[in-house]
Amino acid sequence: MSQHDPKFLPEPQSLRPENLSGRLLSWYDRNRRVMPWRALPGELADPYRIWLSEVMLQQTTVAAVIPYFQKFVERWPTVMDLAQAPLDDVLHAWAGLGYYARARNLHKCAQTVAAWRGGVFPDTEEALRKLPGVGEYTAAAIAAIAFGKPAVVVDGNVERVMARVFAVTEPLPRAKRQIKEHAATLTPRERPGDYAQAVMDLGATICTPRNPACGICPLMAACVGRQLGMAEALPAKEEKPERPTRRGIAFWATRKDGAVLLRRRPEVGLLGGMIEIPSTPWREDKWSLEDALPEAPFQAEWRLLPGLVRHTFTHFHLELVVAAGKIGPAALTRGLWVPLDKLGDHALPTVMRKVVKHALLKAY
DNA sequence: AATTCGTGGCA
DNA sequence: TTGCCAAGAAT
């Protein structure tokens, strides 16, 4: 086949892999999305705000992050402010956003940056990667977006876009290395931060997991996945194990003055360091009240409230039955007695707020 | 390398 | 109702 053959359609130069970034950037410029951490065109990004937003955005949607981000930067405008804040204040402000280890690492990272560099973030991937809570993705994202470094940024959006454009059929997570190689071939030296955000925006708005809008995609002509009719099916993923159900009894313990007993969870593990309604351990077998009594915070006439509190974590379902009881004058217990109207002052994760709501509805 | 980490929106 | 999914990190 020669170039003079009318059937030969030369691949436009703009569709060569090294030029796809140009198409993405021009699409990005035409469809710029406003987010509170993004610099305006021509402005320099604030590394503190980029870092804070990237940590919040780990496995979390933009819509969920925005109000938390606003709250954090209003209360702690610089990394020095955040470093000086009590950890409890940070956990409380984070409550509801999930993955609470992020909040602890955020605070630790702020203190590290404050101590080492007086509040100046490192600007290389290698140095960023050493900070607590900053992994491969986040280091690359900060380096690219805040410092203009041509880092290869690979998040879930990039994985999906690359898998489709290059028709990568190997399932994730095995395909990660292959996908990163593709991503590296597209990463430009000019405007790498905008490019990274362009791919992520594309994945969030057009190259979506379901019903991708291929008809208006700036990469449509280059997308091998689409040409093969398999774009929506990519990326392939390994099967996930099914989620078990765990059960427990939570103790809604009240005092004569109406205060409720709370306690702090262990620093590590599920809901680490957060405040909870005391409960039995969470196990697969159902609990009878008799089984649960030795786990109660004190001896009392516990009564089971009708109904259940259901909550789903990443890897299991939880069903909590709530038992209500009043502490006697002689009983001692460990924990934190909190008036009902002060429950909001504590770092209660969502599952525990559900327990509170249920108890308030059923116990009075 | 495989698990363990939350939560809310969506089909 | 159920499962999937989201700008992943730590161990």
Side-chain angles (χ1 to χ4, degrees), chain A residues 47-57 69 72-73 106:
Chain A
Y48 169 63
R49 294 164 68 95
I50 299 302
W51 161 72
L52 177 60
S53 68
E54 288 301 341
V55 173
M56 288 183 165
L57 286 162
F69 179 85
F72 268 69
V73 294
L106 187 83

Side-chain angles (χ1 to χ4, degrees), chain A residues 179-363:
Chain A
I179 283 175
K180 183 156 186 177
E181 288 171 6
H182 286 303
T185 68
L186 295 199
T187 302
R189 300 192 187 289
E190 302 298 320
R191 302 179 63 193
D194 285 344
Y195 162 78
Q197 294 177 90
V199 185
M200 294 191 282
D201 279 10
L202 187 80
T205 61
I206 290 181
C207 195
T208 50
R210 285 165 302 200
N211 299 317
C214 299
I216 58 171
C217 180
L219 304 184
M220 170 171 57
C223 183
V224 180
R226 180 168 184 274
Q227 288 159 17
L228 297 178
M230 59 190 303
E232 187 170 0
L234 297 175
K237 296 195 175 180
E238 298 283 0
E239 264 186 66
K240 292 170 185 173
E242 63 182 60
R243 283 194 276 228
T245 297
R246 297 185 193 166
R247 300 168 176 88
I249 293 184
F251 298 98
W252 182 252
T254 54
R255 207 166 58 176
K256 290 185 298 291
D257 61 4
V260 178
L261 183 65
L262 303 180
R263 72 184 176 195
R264 183 179 297 279
R265 294 180 58 86
E267 303 294 315
V268 293
L270 186 71
L271 307 177
M274 301 296 282
I275 302 297
E276 69 173 357
I277 310 297
S279 80
T280 65
W282 301 343
R283 67 184 193 192
E284 295 202 15
D285 290 343
K286 291 185 176 176
W287 293 82
S288 67
L289 181 55
E290 186 181 20
D291 283 344
L293 287 181
E295 307 286 345
F298 49 79
Q299 291 188 10
E301 291 184 18
W302 296 98
R303 65 188 173 93
L304 295 179
L305 303 181
L308 281 176
V309 175
R310 294 179 188 280
H311 190 78
T312 298
F313 294 95
T314 308
H315 50 293
F316 66 94
H317 302 288
L318 178 65
E319 294 179 359
L320 289 175
V321 172
V322 181
K326 296 187 193 311
I327 190 167
L332 291 176
T333 188
R334 291 181 311 150
L336 188 66
W337 289 98
V338 176
L340 279 182
D341 61 338
K342 299 294 185 190
L343 285 174
D345 294 351
H346 297 272
L348 287 168
T350 297
V351 59
M352 294 302 156
R353 293 183 185 274
K354 289 184 182 177
V355 171
V356 169
K357 184 176 177 184
H358 186 258
L360 292 176
L361 197 61
K362 305 286 186 180

